[in-house]
Amino acid sequence: MHQSTHQSTLGQRWDQQRNEALYFYKNGKYIDFLDLARENLRLAREMQDSAREGNALNDLGLAYLSCHQCQQALEFLHQALDLAEAAHHIQAIATTLTNLGSAYGTLGQLSKAMELFQHALPLFQQLHDLPGEISALHQVALLHTRLGEPKRALLIHHQVLSRRRMLGDFSGEATTLNGIGFAYDALGEPEKALHYFQEALSIQRATRNLLGEATTLNNLASVYSDLGQPQQALLTYHQVLLTYRALGDRQGEATALHNLGFTYALLGNSEQALQFYTQALIHYQATGDRPGEITVLLNIGSIYLELTQKQQARVCYLQAKALVEQIDHQPLARKVQQMIDAL
């Protein structure tokens, strides 16, 4: 009896900590999320509870992924998959496959990511898990855009859109409209992209989804740049920056500062560009976003190069090289090397 009471107490503690961990995850507090996920894995193993262990392994994978430590993320997600497959737990297998797909997508291994999402899809269908299926299809569509197949992406996005409307899922509808906007932007049709982003924005404003609104405004600003409307882009990015600051979202703030720097650079205003890039760099360092930090260092280096300060540019590029060697991101590593070689 004493043993079962102890198990029950541990179980309650695990559940409470998991809710807390997921709250941290949703609010972008990834270091706190990581700490709790580690503690939950230890507890689950102490209880010898394989279902909770699988959840904790998945959470650890997502936590490491959010902290841009992709190799550790893959290690824990593969452990979660092994556990789910050994228990023939189809729901856990499908969920873990989609998390692995996200991890490989982040690493730029797009074909591998596609394979994993397509492996998960029939499992969600078998379980009649419509939200899981829709979410996986959305990821498949985004991957088609990234793989240079935006027309295929559009076909899937429209399928997803009709299902989300049928379910009355407003938040999901806005997410899909954003995906359609991306595909049209990739097709070189910025006016159509603008239309879908604006449609997404009106839903997010109606449902008071501030985070979604900031994401969509960011997409809109990018299209304004493509359309040769940099002033409109600047206004929109400033709006995005204010929203992220109000939400206390450091990661979003870093992206907005970076985009402001990039737009000022396009306008030939090197001084303003450097100011925003430097602020973005501080935020990327604080959030542990290595790819963001590397990209901004390359952009700062490019400005120094334009200002014929070759030595300063070299310092930035070498800093970026030292950082890219710490993470597994081949496309970025190639870009850093190209820029060093071109000096």
Side-chain angles (χ1 to χ4, degrees):
M1 182 64 193
H2 175 70
Q3 179 61 26
S4 72
T5 309
H6 179 62
Q7 285 286 95
S8 167
T9 307
L10 287 182
Q12 284 171 355
R13 191 167 134 210
W14 190 94
D15 293 342
Q16 189 186 337
Q17 284 186 177
R18 176 117 201 271
N19 287 335
E20 213 179 315
L22 293 176
Y23 171 81
F24 285 139
Y25 180 56
K26 282 180 187 141
N27 288 279
K29 296 180 175 175
Y30 301 128
I31 303 296
D32 296 321
F33 176 47
L34 181 60
D35 289 342
L36 276 181
R38 269 202 206 106
E39 172 59 14
N40 271 351
L41 180 61
R42 191 192 62 72
L43 272 182
R45 284 177 173 164
E46 189 184 326
M47 290 187 282
Q48 296 182 327
D49 183 328
S50 65
R52 282 189 171 109
E53 185 180 347
N55 282 332
L57 286 165
N58 261 304
D59 288 350
L60 263 175
L62 290 177
Y64 277 116
L65 193 57
S66 305
C67 295
H68 303 277
Q69 295 178 43
C70 295
Q71 285 317 115
Q72 284 99 320
L74 288 177
E75 197 182 303
F76 285 106
L77 291 171
H78 278 295
Q79 281 182 48
L81 187 61
D82 290 345
L83 202 63
E85 285 176 340
H88 303 292
H89 191 319
I90 295 173
Q91 183 75 58
I93 294 170
T95 302
T96 310
L97 285 169
T98 58
N99 289 340
L100 274 165
S102 297
Y104 281 108
T106 303
L107 278 168
Q109 294 183 33
L110 305 185
S111 303
K112 176 75 178 166
M114 180 70 87
E115 194 185 303
L116 288 156
F117 282 119
Q118 286 178 330
H119 189 172
L121 267 170
L123 299 180
F124 285 125
Q125 286 160 350
Q126 187 184 328
L127 292 160
H128 304 291
D129 178 351
L130 196 55
E133 185 187 340
I134 287 172
S135 179
L137 273 172
H138 175 74
Q139 294 299 332
V140 166
L142 291 178
L143 280 169
H144 278 304
T145 300
R146 288 177 70 191
L147 284 162
E149 301 162 349
K151 286 184 176 169
R152 288 185 73 176
L154 281 174
L155 285 172
I156 300 167
H157 276 312
H158 281 293
Q159 261 185 334
V160 170
L161 187 63
S162 63
R163 288 184 183 191
R164 283 186 154 157
R165 282 178 173 159
M166 185 182 76
L167 291 172
D169 174 7
F170 293 118
S171 166
E173 187 179 335
T175 303
T176 304
L177 289 166
N178 262 315
I180 293 173
F182 267 130
Y184 276 119
D185 201 29
L187 276 168
E189 297 187 43
E191 285 89 356
K192 276 191 176 173
L194 206 62
H195 166 77
Y196 282 99
F197 289 146
Q198 282 166 337
E199 211 180 322
L201 190 65
S202 62
I203 291 173
Q204 283 154 342
R205 283 185 170 156
T207 55
R208 297 213 166 99
N209 178 355
L210 272 181
L211 188 58
E213 192 181 320
T215 306
T216 305
L217 281 169
N218 206 40
N219 296 340
L220 275 167
S222 171
V223 175
Y224 288 133
S225 282
D226 294 346
L227 287 167
Q229 298 173 26
Q231 293 299 341
Q232 186 64 42
L234 279 180
L235 278 172
T236 311
Y237 281 135
H238 276 292
Q239 225 179 318
V240 173
L241 183 61
L242 290 173
T243 308
Y244 280 129
R245 277 189 178 151
L247 289 166
D249 183 337
R250 293 289 301 268
Q251 191 71 37
E253 202 176 326
T255 305
L257 288 164
H258 178 264
N259 290 339
L260 277 162
F262 192 78
T263 312
Y264 277 115
L266 282 179
L267 286 165
N269 189 336
S270 304
E271 196 182 329
Q272 282 275 56
L274 280 175
Q275 259 182 3
F276 282 105
Y277 278 149
T278 307
Q279 286 181 60
L281 188 62
I282 293 163
H283 280 66
Y284 282 133
Q285 286 165 341
T287 55
D289 181 344
R290 288 284 177 269
E293 199 179 336
I294 293 159
T295 305
V296 87
L297 279 167
L298 294 180
N299 289 341
I300 291 172
S302 298
I303 288 183
Y304 281 129
L305 211 52
E306 279 170 27
L307 297 170
T308 63
Q309 295 178 30
K310 201 170 176 180
Q311 197 46 45
Q312 291 277 70
R314 185 185 297 280
V315 169
C316 290
Y317 292 163
L318 290 176
Q319 274 180 288
K321 184 179 168 69
L323 287 172
V324 87
E325 283 166 359
Q326 296 170 21
I327 61 171
D328 182 4
H329 198 309
Q330 291 317 305
L332 207 46
R334 281 195 294 273
K335 191 177 177 188
V336 171
Q337 198 52 54
Q338 281 165 2
M339 294 184 90
I340 289 172
D341 294 344
L343 269 176

